[in-house]
């Protein structure tokens, strides 16, 4: 059986934590920033963990993570 391929787009977007959880960055922080409040933009800088509902799919496209 051939080796499984990693989804390269996903590999750039997700990192693994020390405890094995998957970390992600938040969306909506790259452009059209003038109408967003400072508080909202500051919150978007923080990373977040992937929700349990999406975990199975992400682990599937990142087999070696």
């Amino acid at each position: 059986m051939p080796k499984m391929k990693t989804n390269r787009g996903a590999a750039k977007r997700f990192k693994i934590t020390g405890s094995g959880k998957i970390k992600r960055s938040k969306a909506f922080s790259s452009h059209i920033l003038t109408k967003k409040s400072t508080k909202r933009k500051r919150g978007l800088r923080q990373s977040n963990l992937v929700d349990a509902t999406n975990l199975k799919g992400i682990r599937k496209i990142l087999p070696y993570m």
Side-chain angles (χ1 to χ4, degrees), residues 13-17 21-27 43-51:
R13 286 171 171 82
F14 300 105
K15 299 282 176 264
I16 199 150
T17 64
K21 293 175 181 151
I22 298 177
K23 193 168 74 166
R24 67 171 178 89
S25 56
K26 292 180 183 171
L44 291 171
R45 276 186 231 139
Q46 314 303 318
S47 61
N48 216 340
L49 294 176
V50 169
D51 193 67

PDB file of all heavy atoms in Angstrom, residues 13-17 21-27 43-51:
ATOM      1  N   ARG A  13      -1.842  25.242   8.201  1.00  0.00           N
ATOM      2  CA  ARG A  13      -2.822  25.931   9.040  1.00  0.00           C
ATOM      3  C   ARG A  13      -2.928  25.384  10.464  1.00  0.00           C
ATOM      4  O   ARG A  13      -3.418  26.072  11.358  1.00  0.00           O
ATOM      5  CB  ARG A  13      -4.204  25.857   8.382  1.00  0.00           C
ATOM      6  CG  ARG A  13      -4.340  26.779   7.201  1.00  0.00           C
ATOM      7  CD  ARG A  13      -5.645  26.510   6.456  1.00  0.00           C
ATOM      8  NE  ARG A  13      -5.906  27.510   5.446  1.00  0.00           N
ATOM      9  CZ  ARG A  13      -5.373  27.509   4.232  1.00  0.00           C
ATOM     10  NH1 ARG A  13      -4.526  26.552   3.871  1.00  0.00           N
ATOM     11  NH2 ARG A  13      -5.678  28.454   3.374  1.00  0.00           N
ATOM     12  N   PHE A  14      -2.512  24.147  10.672  1.00  0.00           N
ATOM     13  CA  PHE A  14      -2.686  23.514  11.976  1.00  0.00           C
ATOM     14  C   PHE A  14      -1.353  23.084  12.570  1.00  0.00           C
ATOM     15  O   PHE A  14      -0.461  22.649  11.858  1.00  0.00           O
ATOM     16  CB  PHE A  14      -3.601  22.286  11.863  1.00  0.00           C
ATOM     17  CG  PHE A  14      -4.975  22.600  11.353  1.00  0.00           C
ATOM     18  CD1 PHE A  14      -5.338  22.285  10.060  1.00  0.00           C
ATOM     19  CD2 PHE A  14      -5.913  23.209  12.170  1.00  0.00           C
ATOM     20  CE1 PHE A  14      -6.608  22.565   9.572  1.00  0.00           C
ATOM     21  CE2 PHE A  14      -7.187  23.503  11.701  1.00  0.00           C
ATOM     22  CZ  PHE A  14      -7.528  23.183  10.405  1.00  0.00           C
ATOM     23  N   LYS A  15      -1.255  23.206  13.901  1.00  0.00           N
ATOM     24  CA  LYS A  15      -0.082  22.742  14.645  1.00  0.00           C
ATOM     25  C   LYS A  15      -0.590  21.848  15.769  1.00  0.00           C
ATOM     26  O   LYS A  15      -1.730  21.962  16.199  1.00  0.00           O
ATOM     27  CB  LYS A  15       0.684  23.930  15.243  1.00  0.00           C
ATOM     28  CG  LYS A  15       1.228  24.911  14.216  1.00  0.00           C
ATOM     29  CD  LYS A  15       2.479  24.406  13.546  1.00  0.00           C
ATOM     30  CE  LYS A  15       2.967  25.326  12.458  1.00  0.00           C
ATOM     31  NZ  LYS A  15       2.521  24.949  11.126  1.00  0.00           N
ATOM     32  N   ILE A  16       0.286  20.990  16.263  1.00  0.00           N
ATOM     33  CA  ILE A  16      -0.108  20.094  17.341  1.00  0.00           C
ATOM     34  C   ILE A  16       0.482  20.607  18.653  1.00  0.00           C
ATOM     35  O   ILE A  16       1.607  21.108  18.687  1.00  0.00           O
ATOM     36  CB  ILE A  16       0.308  18.645  17.025  1.00  0.00           C
ATOM     37  CG1 ILE A  16      -0.465  17.659  17.866  1.00  0.00           C
ATOM     38  CG2 ILE A  16       1.794  18.433  17.155  1.00  0.00           C
ATOM     39  CD1 ILE A  16      -0.698  16.331  17.235  1.00  0.00           C
ATOM     40  N   THR A  17      -0.298  20.508  19.733  1.00  0.00           N
ATOM     41  CA  THR A  17       0.174  20.944  21.045  1.00  0.00           C
ATOM     42  C   THR A  17       0.920  19.792  21.715  1.00  0.00           C
ATOM     43  O   THR A  17       0.912  18.662  21.214  1.00  0.00           O
ATOM     44  CB  THR A  17      -0.999  21.379  21.945  1.00  0.00           C
ATOM     45  OG1 THR A  17      -1.833  20.239  22.177  1.00  0.00           O
ATOM     46  CG2 THR A  17      -1.800  22.496  21.319  1.00  0.00           C
ATOM     47  N   LYS A  21      -3.403  17.868  21.243  1.00  0.00           N
ATOM     48  CA  LYS A  21      -4.556  18.574  20.670  1.00  0.00           C
ATOM     49  C   LYS A  21      -4.102  19.348  19.438  1.00  0.00           C
ATOM     50  O   LYS A  21      -2.916  19.608  19.271  1.00  0.00           O
ATOM     51  CB  LYS A  21      -5.159  19.515  21.702  1.00  0.00           C
ATOM     52  CG  LYS A  21      -5.785  18.783  22.870  1.00  0.00           C
ATOM     53  CD  LYS A  21      -6.272  19.736  23.933  1.00  0.00           C
ATOM     54  CE  LYS A  21      -6.862  18.959  25.082  1.00  0.00           C
ATOM     55  NZ  LYS A  21      -6.722  19.676  26.338  1.00  0.00           N
ATOM     56  N   ILE A  22      -5.054  19.736  18.593  1.00  0.00           N
ATOM     57  CA  ILE A  22      -4.709  20.473  17.374  1.00  0.00           C
ATOM     58  C   ILE A  22      -5.067  21.942  17.542  1.00  0.00           C
ATOM     59  O   ILE A  22      -6.181  22.283  17.909  1.00  0.00           O
ATOM     60  CB  ILE A  22      -5.395  19.853  16.142  1.00  0.00           C
ATOM     61  CG1 ILE A  22      -4.904  18.412  15.942  1.00  0.00           C
ATOM     62  CG2 ILE A  22      -5.099  20.666  14.895  1.00  0.00           C
ATOM     63  CD1 ILE A  22      -5.555  17.670  14.812  1.00  0.00           C
ATOM     64  N   LYS A  23      -4.077  22.792  17.269  1.00  0.00           N
ATOM     65  CA  LYS A  23      -4.213  24.237  17.427  1.00  0.00           C
ATOM     66  C   LYS A  23      -4.481  24.862  16.071  1.00  0.00           C
ATOM     67  O   LYS A  23      -3.947  24.422  15.055  1.00  0.00           O
ATOM     68  CB  LYS A  23      -2.900  24.762  18.011  1.00  0.00           C
ATOM     69  CG  LYS A  23      -2.946  26.168  18.521  1.00  0.00           C
ATOM     70  CD  LYS A  23      -1.711  26.480  19.337  1.00  0.00           C
ATOM     71  CE  LYS A  23      -0.500  26.652  18.462  1.00  0.00           C
ATOM     72  NZ  LYS A  23       0.638  27.274  19.167  1.00  0.00           N
ATOM     73  N   ARG A  24      -5.309  25.905  16.044  1.00  0.00           N
ATOM     74  CA  ARG A  24      -5.624  26.610  14.806  1.00  0.00           C
ATOM     75  C   ARG A  24      -5.586  28.112  15.062  1.00  0.00           C
ATOM     76  O   ARG A  24      -5.673  28.559  16.201  1.00  0.00           O
ATOM     77  CB  ARG A  24      -7.015  26.222  14.303  1.00  0.00           C
ATOM     78  CG  ARG A  24      -8.135  26.697  15.216  1.00  0.00           C
ATOM     79  CD  ARG A  24      -9.500  26.504  14.604  1.00  0.00           C
ATOM     80  NE  ARG A  24     -10.551  26.926  15.513  1.00  0.00           N
ATOM     81  CZ  ARG A  24     -11.038  28.149  15.590  1.00  0.00           C
ATOM     82  NH1 ARG A  24     -10.548  29.113  14.836  1.00  0.00           N
ATOM     83  NH2 ARG A  24     -12.012  28.443  16.441  1.00  0.00           N
ATOM     84  N   SER A  25      -5.472  28.867  13.977  1.00  0.00           N
ATOM     85  CA  SER A  25      -5.573  30.320  14.106  1.00  0.00           C
ATOM     86  C   SER A  25      -6.962  30.743  13.660  1.00  0.00           C
ATOM     87  O   SER A  25      -7.641  30.009  12.955  1.00  0.00           O
ATOM     88  CB  SER A  25      -4.490  31.009  13.266  1.00  0.00           C
ATOM     89  OG  SER A  25      -4.598  30.587  11.925  1.00  0.00           O
ATOM     90  N   LYS A  26      -7.373  31.918  14.072  1.00  0.00           N
ATOM     91  CA  LYS A  26      -8.720  32.392  13.771  1.00  0.00           C
ATOM     92  C   LYS A  26      -8.784  33.066  12.402  1.00  0.00           C
ATOM     93  O   LYS A  26      -7.791  33.616  11.920  1.00  0.00           O
ATOM     94  CB  LYS A  26      -9.180  33.363  14.856  1.00  0.00           C
ATOM     95  CG  LYS A  26      -9.387  32.650  16.191  1.00  0.00           C
ATOM     96  CD  LYS A  26      -9.841  33.612  17.248  1.00  0.00           C
ATOM     97  CE  LYS A  26      -9.976  32.880  18.580  1.00  0.00           C
ATOM     98  NZ  LYS A  26     -10.219  33.810  19.670  1.00  0.00           N
ATOM     99  N   ALA A  27      -9.959  33.027  11.808  1.00  0.00           N
ATOM    100  CA  ALA A  27     -10.179  33.630  10.487  1.00  0.00           C
ATOM    101  C   ALA A  27     -10.589  35.101  10.645  1.00  0.00           C
ATOM    102  O   ALA A  27     -10.763  35.588  11.758  1.00  0.00           O
ATOM    103  CB  ALA A  27     -11.270  32.853   9.771  1.00  0.00           C
ATOM    104  N   GLY A  43      -8.631  39.907  19.768  1.00  0.00           N
ATOM    105  CA  GLY A  43      -9.110  38.541  20.011  1.00  0.00           C
ATOM    106  C   GLY A  43      -8.785  37.599  18.868  1.00  0.00           C
ATOM    107  O   GLY A  43      -8.537  36.414  19.093  1.00  0.00           O
ATOM    108  N   LEU A  44      -8.771  38.128  17.663  1.00  0.00           N
ATOM    109  CA  LEU A  44      -8.468  37.307  16.487  1.00  0.00           C
ATOM    110  C   LEU A  44      -7.003  36.885  16.423  1.00  0.00           C
ATOM    111  O   LEU A  44      -6.665  35.935  15.732  1.00  0.00           O
ATOM    112  CB  LEU A  44      -8.843  38.057  15.201  1.00  0.00           C
ATOM    113  CG  LEU A  44     -10.335  38.260  14.939  1.00  0.00           C
ATOM    114  CD1 LEU A  44     -10.542  39.195  13.776  1.00  0.00           C
ATOM    115  CD2 LEU A  44     -11.042  36.941  14.694  1.00  0.00           C
ATOM    116  N   ARG A  45      -6.142  37.598  17.150  1.00  0.00           N
ATOM    117  CA  ARG A  45      -4.728  37.239  17.172  1.00  0.00           C
ATOM    118  C   ARG A  45      -4.462  35.953  17.945  1.00  0.00           C
ATOM    119  O   ARG A  45      -3.491  35.263  17.683  1.00  0.00           O
ATOM    120  CB  ARG A  45      -3.908  38.350  17.831  1.00  0.00           C
ATOM    121  CG  ARG A  45      -3.539  39.459  16.908  1.00  0.00           C
ATOM    122  CD  ARG A  45      -2.595  40.426  17.623  1.00  0.00           C
ATOM    123  NE  ARG A  45      -3.077  41.786  17.490  1.00  0.00           N
ATOM    124  CZ  ARG A  45      -3.065  42.698  18.465  1.00  0.00           C
ATOM    125  NH1 ARG A  45      -2.603  42.397  19.671  1.00  0.00           N
ATOM    126  NH2 ARG A  45      -3.514  43.913  18.240  1.00  0.00           N
ATOM    127  N   GLN A  46      -5.318  35.660  18.908  1.00  0.00           N
ATOM    128  CA  GLN A  46      -5.125  34.490  19.756  1.00  0.00           C
ATOM    129  C   GLN A  46      -5.405  33.213  18.976  1.00  0.00           C
ATOM    130  O   GLN A  46      -6.296  33.178  18.139  1.00  0.00           O
ATOM    131  CB  GLN A  46      -6.065  34.535  20.980  1.00  0.00           C
ATOM    132  CG  GLN A  46      -6.140  35.863  21.699  1.00  0.00           C
ATOM    133  CD  GLN A  46      -4.800  36.366  22.181  1.00  0.00           C
ATOM    134  OE1 GLN A  46      -3.999  35.594  22.686  1.00  0.00           O
ATOM    135  NE2 GLN A  46      -4.560  37.653  22.002  1.00  0.00           N
ATOM    136  N   SER A  47      -4.644  32.167  19.285  1.00  0.00           N
ATOM    137  CA  SER A  47      -4.918  30.880  18.646  1.00  0.00           C
ATOM    138  C   SER A  47      -6.000  30.165  19.442  1.00  0.00           C
ATOM    139  O   SER A  47      -6.341  30.567  20.556  1.00  0.00           O
ATOM    140  CB  SER A  47      -3.651  30.031  18.587  1.00  0.00           C
ATOM    141  OG  SER A  47      -3.183  29.780  19.882  1.00  0.00           O
ATOM    142  N   ASN A  48      -6.527  29.114  18.854  1.00  0.00           N
ATOM    143  CA  ASN A  48      -7.640  28.392  19.463  1.00  0.00           C
ATOM    144  C   ASN A  48      -7.448  26.913  19.181  1.00  0.00           C
ATOM    145  O   ASN A  48      -6.676  26.548  18.296  1.00  0.00           O
ATOM    146  CB  ASN A  48      -8.961  28.877  18.840  1.00  0.00           C
ATOM    147  CG  ASN A  48     -10.082  28.924  19.824  1.00  0.00           C
ATOM    148  OD1 ASN A  48     -10.024  28.277  20.857  1.00  0.00           O
ATOM    149  ND2 ASN A  48     -11.118  29.672  19.518  1.00  0.00           N
ATOM    150  N   LEU A  49      -8.147  26.065  19.911  1.00  0.00           N
ATOM    151  CA  LEU A  49      -8.096  24.637  19.648  1.00  0.00           C
ATOM    152  C   LEU A  49      -9.203  24.253  18.686  1.00  0.00           C
ATOM    153  O   LEU A  49     -10.254  24.875  18.652  1.00  0.00           O
ATOM    154  CB  LEU A  49      -8.245  23.848  20.951  1.00  0.00           C
ATOM    155  CG  LEU A  49      -7.110  23.988  21.958  1.00  0.00           C
ATOM    156  CD1 LEU A  49      -7.444  23.241  23.234  1.00  0.00           C
ATOM    157  CD2 LEU A  49      -5.799  23.506  21.394  1.00  0.00           C
ATOM    158  N   VAL A  50      -8.957  23.213  17.910  1.00  0.00           N
ATOM    159  CA  VAL A  50      -9.946  22.711  16.960  1.00  0.00           C
ATOM    160  C   VAL A  50     -11.076  22.052  17.749  1.00  0.00           C
ATOM    161  O   VAL A  50     -10.824  21.325  18.718  1.00  0.00           O
ATOM    162  CB  VAL A  50      -9.284  21.711  15.984  1.00  0.00           C
ATOM    163  CG1 VAL A  50     -10.306  20.980  15.156  1.00  0.00           C
ATOM    164  CG2 VAL A  50      -8.308  22.439  15.091  1.00  0.00           C
ATOM    165  N   ASP A  51     -12.307  22.307  17.345  1.00  0.00           N
ATOM    166  CA  ASP A  51     -13.477  21.743  18.007  1.00  0.00           C
ATOM    167  C   ASP A  51     -13.536  20.233  17.800  1.00  0.00           C
ATOM    168  O   ASP A  51     -13.062  19.713  16.793  1.00  0.00           O
ATOM    169  CB  ASP A  51     -14.738  22.401  17.451  1.00  0.00           C
ATOM    170  CG  ASP A  51     -15.940  22.104  18.310  1.00  0.00           C
ATOM    171  OD1 ASP A  51     -15.992  22.571  19.457  1.00  0.00           O
ATOM    172  OD2 ASP A  51     -16.831  21.391  17.829  1.00  0.00           O
TER     173      ASP A  51
END
